[in-house]
Amino acid sequence: MSDTPVYEVTGLKHGYGDKFLLNIPHLSIKSGASVGIAGPNGSGKSTLLKLLAFLEWPSEGDVYYKGRAVTKKETGLRQGVTLLPQDPYLLKKTVFENVGYGLRMHGNKRNIKAKVHEALLLLGLVPKKFVRRHWHELSGGEAKRVALAARFVLNPDVLLLDEPTANVDRHSAFLIKEAVEKIRNKYGTSLIIVSHDHVWLNSVTDENLKLYEGSIIEHGLNNLLPGPWSRGNDLLWTRHLSDGQVICAADPPDRYSTAILEPSSIMISTEYPEGISAQNILRGTISSMTSDNDPGKVGIEVSVSGMPLTCGVTSHAARSLSLIPGKKVWVVFKATSLHWH
């Protein structure tokens, strides 16, 4: 594997009109890495993917691809990089024609049937069952996997995925995870993945970046809790959630500051915890679970008043507490566990 980063970004600013959506002084991504990008809506995640796919060009700064500064003239670089958008478009044709379209466009017609079948199998789509199906005969999860197979078949150096598990069922999300891991292990493909599903993202990546208002503010999948905050009692500040629950924090720089909460600072209980000093005890529902990259750990996302909070427990604790998606739980953390962006 090359020591030259697959991407290096320097002095990048990008926006539309007078408004900059991205401001990234420096970013380096190793060749063969699997990097996740998380952040709230409007933080610039999809825009960054478009820049890395050479579909847009930065207003200021440079993007280097494998050590070369990229210009608008170097459209040939797109053949080594492919992007799966959040809502991928399928041709109004059969599955076979959709998956094989890119190969034909690149003039690569040798063994096209075998290549298409291999890509479908990677994503749990049996060729005999699917190749003759038309685009309108697919479920949402199947359509997303067909679109991903159309990228896999090109054997790209870089695969950019924008919300690959959005609007798909849990089984499809698992198959997509397995497939991207296989293509990375087999071909050394670099993966850059945007997702709101932090638990799924953490299970498939080596490193995660957090984008907020166009800037990289964190390395890791810490939880972001934006304001506004109101001064409460006992020198604490509070944020009121839509269901009436309240988050307590200590000393924000101002009432519109964003708090950062590390997953390791959150405890989970299946019963209301009595006699503890933590100021934050919030009701929630487990929305997703997955095996973590760290053996013996389980990543958990809990929905609290519609707000996702990512945390983790040991596999033993998950079993002993009978934690499963849909289970009602309590999340517990101290006000002093919140630090400020």
Side-chain angles (χ1 to χ4, degrees):
M1 190 175 296
S2 173
D3 292 332
T4 302
V6 65
Y7 285 110
E8 189 158 12
V9 172
T10 59
L12 186 146
K13 289 187 177 182
H14 187 63
Y16 306 99
D18 296 330
K19 183 180 179 181
F20 283 117
L21 298 180
L22 287 173
N23 185 355
I24 302 176
H26 184 260
L27 172 63
S28 181
I29 297 176
K30 296 178 181 177
S31 179
S34 180
V35 176
I37 302 175
N41 290 336
S43 59
K45 304 183 300 296
S46 296
T47 301
L48 179 57
L49 287 190
K50 290 176 184 176
L51 290 168
L52 297 179
F54 317 126
L55 299 176
E56 294 186 11
W57 308 97
S59 305
E60 296 180 18
D62 295 295
V63 176
Y64 293 85
Y65 178 68
K66 297 185 178 181
R68 292 172 55 188
V70 178
T71 67
K72 291 184 180 180
K73 295 179 181 179
E74 299 191 69
T75 56
L77 293 177
R78 292 180 185 171
Q79 294 190 19
V81 178
T82 186
L83 168 67
L84 180 75
Q86 182 172 349
D87 297 308
Y89 173 80
L90 289 182
L91 301 172
K92 295 180 179 180
K93 296 180 180 292
T94 66
V95 166
F96 184 89
E97 290 171 302
N98 268 280
V99 177
Y101 178 77
L103 291 174
R104 290 195 176 93
M105 287 294 293
H106 292 159
N108 187 355
K109 299 180 181 179
R110 294 187 60 186
N111 301 320
I112 189 170
K113 180 178 179 181
K115 292 174 181 177
V116 169
H117 284 202
E118 180 184 11
L120 290 173
L121 284 170
L122 268 175
L123 285 146
L125 300 167
V126 179
K128 186 175 181 181
K129 182 178 178 182
F130 281 94
V131 288
R132 292 184 179 84
R133 281 197 191 179
H134 285 79
W135 62 279
H136 58 82
E137 298 174 311
L138 302 171
S139 69
E142 290 167 349
K144 183 69 73 80
R145 284 187 278 154
V146 167
L148 189 52
R151 274 76 179 171
F152 278 11
V153 79
L154 300 175
N155 189 18
D157 295 325
V158 179
L159 184 58
L160 307 166
L161 305 177
D162 194 355
E163 299 289 354
T165 61
N167 303 316
V168 303
D169 57 84
R170 193 179 305 165
H171 179 61
S172 290
F174 173 76
L175 290 173
I176 291 170
K177 172 184 180 294
E178 281 201 325
V180 296
E181 288 176 337
K182 286 177 182 176
I183 193 172
R184 181 191 179 199
N185 293 334
K186 185 172 182 179
Y187 299 111
T189 307
S190 301
L191 303 173
I192 303 174
I193 307 172
V194 164
S195 180
H196 278 94
D197 188 341
H198 294 179
V199 174
W200 183 91
L201 189 63
N202 197 50
S203 72
V204 77
T205 53
D206 307 320
E207 177 188 7
N208 290 292
L209 310 175
K210 198 88 169 190
L211 267 181
Y212 185 71
E213 294 184 351
S215 298
I216 296 172
I217 63 165
E218 288 280 321
H219 288 258
L221 287 179
N222 293 331
N223 299 288
L224 297 182
L225 308 179
W229 301 89
S230 302
R231 188 181 292 276
N233 299 323
D234 302 324
L235 302 179
L236 295 177
W237 291 68
T238 60
R239 176 190 163 189
H240 291 262
L241 303 179
S242 60
D243 62 356
Q245 297 191 87
V246 177
I247 299 175
C248 296
D251 299 323
D254 62 67
R255 67 186 304 259
Y256 292 103
S257 295
T258 295
I260 299 171
L261 177 63
E262 297 179 3
S264 59
S265 297
I266 299 175
M267 297 183 294
I268 289 184
S269 175
T270 55
E271 298 179 356
Y272 185 86
E274 303 282 357
I276 64 173
S277 60
Q279 295 89 346
N280 293 295
I281 305 173
L282 305 173
R283 299 184 307 275
T285 303
I286 296 176
S287 52
S288 63
M289 298 174 62
T290 190
S291 299
D292 199 85
N293 281 333
D294 184 0
K297 293 286 186 70
V298 176
I300 297 177
E301 185 172 277
V302 180
S303 177
V304 176
S305 187
M307 174 183 65
L309 288 178
T310 301
C311 51
V313 299
T314 64
S315 299
H316 174 74
R319 289 192 299 270
S320 63
L321 294 172
S322 301
L323 300 181
I324 58 172
K327 190 179 184 74
K328 305 294 184 183
V329 294
W330 300 86
V331 294
V332 182
F333 54 94
K334 296 180 179 179
T336 53
S337 294
L338 277 68
H339 54 283
W340 302 98
H341 167 56

